[in-house]
Amino acid sequence: MRTLAMIISMATLIDYIEAQQALEKEAKELMPYDPKECTFSIGPLRQDLYACLSCYRKTGQLNSVCYACSIKCHASHDLVELFTKRNRTCDCGTTRVDGPCFVRYPKWNNLDVKDYSPDIPDSSNKYSHNFEGRFCECDMPYNPLSDSNMIQCTLGVACDEDWYHEECIMGYTPTTVDRRPTGNGVDKLNDLDEPGMDAESDLRNKTVEKNESTISDDEISGNLLPLEGFPSLETFETIICWKCYNKCPEVKVIESLLECDFVEHIPNRQMQGSEEPLRKKLKGDYTKTIFLKSNYKEKLKAYMNDNPETKLGKFLMKYPFLYEEDPVYRPELDEDDTSSVFELGVQKLNSVPADQAAKGLAAYSQIKSKLTEFLKPFAETGKIVTEDEVKAFFTNIKKS
């Protein structure tokens, strides 16, 4: 039995280490950059941004938080990922957030944060409903598990580079269009149970079949049927939404010059052609979303070079990201952070004085011994350790 317990303990340890390594790998893939620099001092940039809803609820002011601050200062807060926006300055450590910036002022990690003096936020920052966690014309939070494809407007003059559902671009609302694939009929005759099988087993099998068929492979993988009238995602690189199209007459010239595909935005559009009488009556009254192909910058740059004094040329000079490279600021890759949590702990231990290290190792040895005794019965019986039991163990450790 002792040998079996050792095998179970070793297997559990290996599983834990593998799970830990998988989590560390996933974290490095999601957060590959070194969070050592807040972008506040750099000024307005096109950068990856986050909105801190926790700070918004406390200060009553919308905010934008850079990559480093999202990790070092707001990791335990309610954050909304905004992806990229242009000309934004980080608000962390200013009056718009609740607390100091620990990236710019690391000393506040060890001081009473009530005594800090906040910086003044950049007055040029803009805040749309995205900074409240809502997106698109439908003004809803983004749900990656149920939402259809969302596409960001590249111009953003009227919409602040908002993200839109395909359905909302056309005027539908996402809930009124069912784009889930419908499965083909399946012949169940060959799956009938043999005569004499007990009713309980028969019912159980059919319940499992029903549950398994409730969610299709397409739904699990996020596949949706094409939206009729909407261009395939492979045929364009980005869009200029109907709001920006309506606000900037120069966009109509771009549409003609680039021979863009487009869809009309028809508010409260209905499926199955029910909007056709209205469209015929008000033909031409709707605004459009245009779709820019992968070579649009090249063509606009050629036009700009040949026609700088035209109305469109001056418009392009005002928004050069439409024809020039539009890089996103990102910190340096965290290439030094290749160690596991255990290895980082050993490195930290080597950097402290010898007497502190000895005390730390003694405390570690004591906890390890108690933890081994705590886990031994579970290993011998194969019983699963619950979260409450682990919490109770460490509570007792603190009291002893």
Side-chain angles (χ1 to χ4, degrees):
M1 178 64 72
R2 181 174 177 79
T3 303
L4 178 59
M6 291 176 63
I7 293 173
I8 294 174
S9 297
M10 183 59 70
T12 305
L13 178 61
I14 292 173
D15 290 342
Y16 171 79
I17 291 174
E18 290 179 347
Q20 185 68 25
Q21 290 174 338
L23 286 173
E24 291 174 4
K25 180 181 179 181
E26 181 180 1
K28 289 173 183 176
E29 289 175 350
L30 293 173
M31 297 176 290
Y33 306 106
D34 191 347
K36 65 181 180 181
E37 183 179 17
C38 170
T39 61
F40 174 83
S41 57
I42 303 176
L45 296 167
R46 186 187 185 205
Q47 59 180 311
D48 295 310
L49 287 178
Y50 302 80
C52 182
L53 300 185
S54 298
C55 288
Y56 171 49
R57 286 190 280 266
K58 289 186 176 181
T59 67
Q61 298 187 76
L62 297 173
N63 60 77
S64 58
V65 175
C66 72
Y67 171 84
C69 293
S70 73
I71 297 173
K72 293 292 188 70
C73 311
H74 301 263
S76 62
H77 294 187
D78 184 7
L79 288 174
V80 176
E81 185 176 8
L82 303 178
F83 300 94
T84 62
K85 286 190 182 291
R86 298 185 190 92
N87 302 319
R88 295 306 201 285
T89 302
C90 180
D91 284 321
C92 189
T94 73
T95 53
R96 286 187 169 272
V97 302
D98 182 45
C101 176
F102 298 116
V103 182
R104 296 200 304 278
Y105 308 113
K107 68 177 183 179
W108 287 108
N109 282 293
N110 302 314
L111 299 175
D112 188 349
V113 297
K114 294 180 181 179
D115 297 331
Y116 90 101
S117 297
D119 290 313
I120 299 173
D122 188 339
S123 60
S124 68
N125 275 358
K126 297 185 299 182
Y127 305 93
S128 64
H129 68 161
N130 292 172
F131 293 84
E132 299 178 64
R134 303 194 308 275
F135 300 86
C136 189
E137 180 71 358
C138 60
D139 198 35
M140 296 293 290
Y142 173 58
N143 185 344
L145 299 179
S146 62
D147 281 4
S148 64
N149 299 310
M150 296 194 76
I151 305 167
Q152 187 179 28
C153 175
T154 193
L155 182 54
V157 173
C159 68
D160 193 28
E161 301 175 74
D162 205 353
W163 291 81
Y164 296 100
H165 299 101
E166 295 167 314
E167 297 90 342
C168 293
I169 289 174
M170 298 187 71
Y172 300 116
T173 56
T175 55
T176 61
V177 183
D178 187 0
R179 297 171 60 190
R180 294 171 298 177
T182 55
N184 297 324
V186 179
D187 185 358
K188 294 290 185 180
L189 290 175
N190 294 329
D191 297 331
L192 290 176
D193 298 321
E194 294 293 330
M197 179 173 284
D198 63 276
E200 181 181 355
S201 175
D202 184 49
L203 177 61
R204 182 171 62 250
N205 290 341
K206 284 179 169 51
T207 301
V208 171
E209 287 180 2
K210 181 179 179 181
N211 290 338
E212 289 178 345
S213 63
T214 300
I215 303 176
S216 68
D217 291 338
D218 289 300
E219 290 177 85
I220 293 173
S221 63
N223 292 334
L224 295 171
L225 293 174
L227 181 62
E228 185 176 356
F230 197 92
S232 171
L233 296 178
E234 292 76 24
T235 63
F236 65 93
E237 181 172 321
T238 188
I239 66 169
I240 295 179
C241 76
W242 72 95
K243 297 177 183 179
C244 294
Y245 183 96
N246 199 43
K247 183 172 183 177
C248 304
E250 294 86 355
V251 177
K252 298 179 182 179
V253 184
I254 292 176
E255 175 193 11
S256 175
L257 176 68
L258 302 182
E259 300 180 336
C260 297
D261 292 331
F262 68 89
V263 295
E264 291 178 312
H265 177 79
I266 304 176
N268 302 313
R269 186 195 290 254
Q270 302 297 317
M271 294 294 289
Q272 299 177 343
S274 58
E275 79 278 10
E276 288 304 318
L278 180 63
R279 289 192 61 181
K280 290 178 180 179
K281 182 179 179 181
L282 300 176
K283 187 175 178 62
D285 290 349
Y286 300 113
T287 187
K288 303 175 182 178
T289 293
I290 66 171
F291 298 82
L292 306 178
K293 296 181 173 62
S294 58
N295 62 346
Y296 79 94
K297 284 181 180 284
E298 178 184 341
K299 291 186 175 182
L300 289 178
K301 186 171 185 177
Y303 178 91
M304 174 65 193
N305 291 335
D306 295 337
N307 307 277
E309 298 302 319
T310 63
K311 191 173 182 180
L312 176 57
K314 293 178 180 178
F315 179 80
L316 293 173
M317 289 179 65
K318 186 176 180 180
Y319 303 106
F321 56 81
L322 287 174
Y323 67 92
E324 292 182 343
E325 290 300 315
D326 191 21
V328 177
Y329 170 85
R330 290 194 171 100
E332 296 178 358
L333 288 173
D334 198 0
E335 296 177 349
D336 294 334
D337 188 16
T338 58
S339 303
S340 67
V341 171
F342 174 76
E343 291 168 335
L344 291 172
V346 172
Q347 293 173 14
K348 188 68 175 177
L349 191 64
N350 289 332
S351 67
V352 302
D355 59 334
Q356 293 184 24
K359 291 179 182 178
L361 288 172
Y364 168 76
S365 179
Q366 185 180 11
I367 293 177
K368 179 183 177 183
S369 177
K370 291 183 178 181
L371 184 60
T372 300
E373 290 299 318
F374 168 69
L375 293 175
K376 185 176 179 181
F378 295 96
E380 291 176 343
T381 61
K383 181 184 175 183
I384 301 298
V385 187
T386 67
E387 181 181 356
D388 290 338
E389 288 169 327
V390 173
K391 287 181 178 179
F393 168 78
F394 283 104
T395 300
N396 293 331
I397 287 289
K398 291 178 180 179
K399 292 180 180 178
S400 60

